[in-house]
Amino acid sequence: YATNCMKFCNFVSEMEILIYDKAMPLEGLAVATIGVFDGVHRGHRFVFEQLADKARERKLISTVITFDRHPLSVVCPDKCPPLLTTLDERLQLLCATGVQRCVVLPFTEEMAGLAACDFMLLMRQQLGVKLLLTGYDNRFGHDRSAGFSDYVRYGQEMDMDVEALEPCNITEEDCPVSSSMVRRLLADGALDKVHHCLGRDYSLEGQVVSGEQIGMKIGYPTANLSPDTHKLLPKAGVYAVWATIGVDGPTLPAMMNIGHCPTFGGRPTTLEVHLFDYNGNLYGQTVRVRFVGRLRDEQRFADASALKAQLAKDQSDALQVLRADAEAQETVCGK
């Protein structure tokens, strides 16, 4: 195993992050749960609370086993969904859950070919899993016909206990919160519901690349972001966002347009961020945006003057949304 903590040294959490290497078994016995955990949403955190309880009860190491990519990207690429979190983002969010150890499995065709029993044997012998927590409807291994009762039986044969997780008690629209639900809500632009499911605002980051400087010509210069191509974009439109420059740079109020520039003849999807009262050079830097409120749909205007007038209104609306958000954050912090 190789410890991969370079990107996470700023976190208070002491979670051990390990990249799986079959040449070397882990020390210590663990209670573990396994999954992609895309988004690390409130339903996932409900699972991690159960994991922590079992770890304390049985004096085991609380361990999350996840993958370096979505398994569907290997076994069925056409059905692989866009991601709510990159691997780096997932690990950062996991660091904040209090889990003691995270093992990242490089998901290959070889791993995809393992039967459920063989996969459990890997967890038992190499990852030290003594207790596996899983849902009744969870499936792993290439033989997807195996289910919870099979996992219990396999576990008995290799001295591994298998217990069922409690059903998720976090719901939205009377359904348990799931990654697929969050994706659907983002596609609808329902940021309030996304926030409820995630327990935080949705965010993405990208490197600032050169654009056509249309915004500059009408007094609203924008930073054009190039995010991870696997990352899910919210519904096209205009958003109030907080924009953070670099790793330790300032966080500034901003508005963001996701769309196709219909006023200027249309373009491939662009992500343009206008940072209020900022005049620095952002080219080549990374900017992370946190989506706070959706202001309107993208629309086509008669000319640049009409667009400029609308952008002035968008900026006023965005500042109102962001002021309210800042006040709410101060209230939470004050408590």
Side-chain angles (χ1 to χ4, degrees), residues 24 107 168 170-171 179 195 222 239 250 284 287 324:
M24 185 176 177
F107 197 85
C168 175
I170 311 296
T171 62
S179 299
H195 184 103
T222 60
Y239 293 86
V287 172

Side-chain angles (χ1 to χ4, degrees), residues 18 52 71-72 107 110-111 115 157 166 169 199 218 293-294 315 332:
L18 303 168
L72 282 176
F107 197 85
E110 179 184 0
M111 183 167 287
E157 296 170 356
E166 294 179 25
N169 63 359
I218 60 175
R294 190 170 192 276
Q315 178 166 334
V332 170

Side-chain angles (χ1 to χ4, degrees), residues 188-258:
D188 291 340
L191 289 190
D192 289 346
K193 292 181 179 181
V194 169
H195 184 103
H196 171 76
C197 293
L198 293 178
R200 65 182 186 281
D201 293 324
Y202 187 67
S203 65
L204 60 78
E205 70 176 29
Q207 187 177 43
V208 179
V209 297
S210 59
E212 298 184 28
Q213 299 187 336
I214 294 174
M216 177 76 74
K217 296 173 183 176
I218 60 175
Y220 287 88
T222 60
N224 291 265
L225 301 190
S226 178
D228 187 297
T229 56
H230 298 101
K231 180 91 173 183
L232 178 64
L233 302 181
K235 182 180 181 180
V238 180
Y239 293 86
V241 303
W242 292 108
T244 302
I245 302 171
V247 177
D248 300 315
T251 296
L252 303 172
M255 62 185 182
M256 181 175 189
N257 183 80
I258 299 175

Side-chain angles (χ1 to χ4, degrees), residues 7 38 114 122 138 163 187 190-191 199 221 268 272 292 308:
K7 288 200 172 189
D38 186 24
L114 290 177
L122 178 154
N138 284 8
E163 295 184 8
L191 289 190
E272 300 177 90
V292 180
K308 183 175 180 178

